[in-house]
Amino acid sequence: MASDLEKNQPIVVERDGGVFYTYANRVDLDWTAHDIRLRFSERSLLPRDRPGGAKERIEERASIALSWSQAKALRDLLDLALDHYEKLNGPIINPRVPRSLP
């Protein structure tokens, strides 16, 4: 006989073709009184040999809207994950990248 815990497990449903996956190295926010939206993008530089020289390229990858209460829960979850990671690996630092080759 299944325990109460097993009976109350959520049913996870994957969309056809699997779970959507993307990469982002940049995130922006916008919001309303009812929700907050996270806009995930990938930032890269186009080659210097293009007309006009090197140009920054920002390609939007995904946009996720959350209620304010879910955004707060996400913040708390990220805080826990980051604290655990830093206890194991030391502080996370923002790397510095040269703007161009010498």
Side-chain angles (χ1 to χ4, degrees), residues 18-97:
V19 176
F20 173 74
Y21 173 82
T22 191
Y23 171 79
N25 58 12
R26 184 175 185 273
V27 65
D28 288 317
L29 298 174
D30 56 47
W31 56 86
T32 71
H34 305 285
D35 51 41
I36 187 167
R37 184 169 62 148
L38 302 162
R39 294 170 45 206
F40 295 93
S41 307
E42 183 176 355
R43 179 186 176 267
S44 58
L45 289 177
L46 298 173
R48 287 188 290 175
D49 60 355
R50 289 183 173 255
K55 301 245 188 257
E56 183 178 39
R57 175 182 171 179
I58 297 172
E59 184 176 342
E60 285 202 10
R61 300 289 188 173
S63 177
I64 309 293
L66 302 168
S67 68
W68 283 103
S69 60
Q70 283 297 304
K72 191 171 183 178
L74 175 61
R75 179 205 58 195
D76 295 344
L77 188 61
L78 288 170
D79 279 345
L80 284 172
L82 289 164
D83 287 346
H84 184 68
Y85 180 93
E86 289 185 325
K87 282 178 185 167
L88 291 173
N89 300 291
I92 298 169
I93 60 166
N94 289 326
R96 292 183 292 165
V97 179

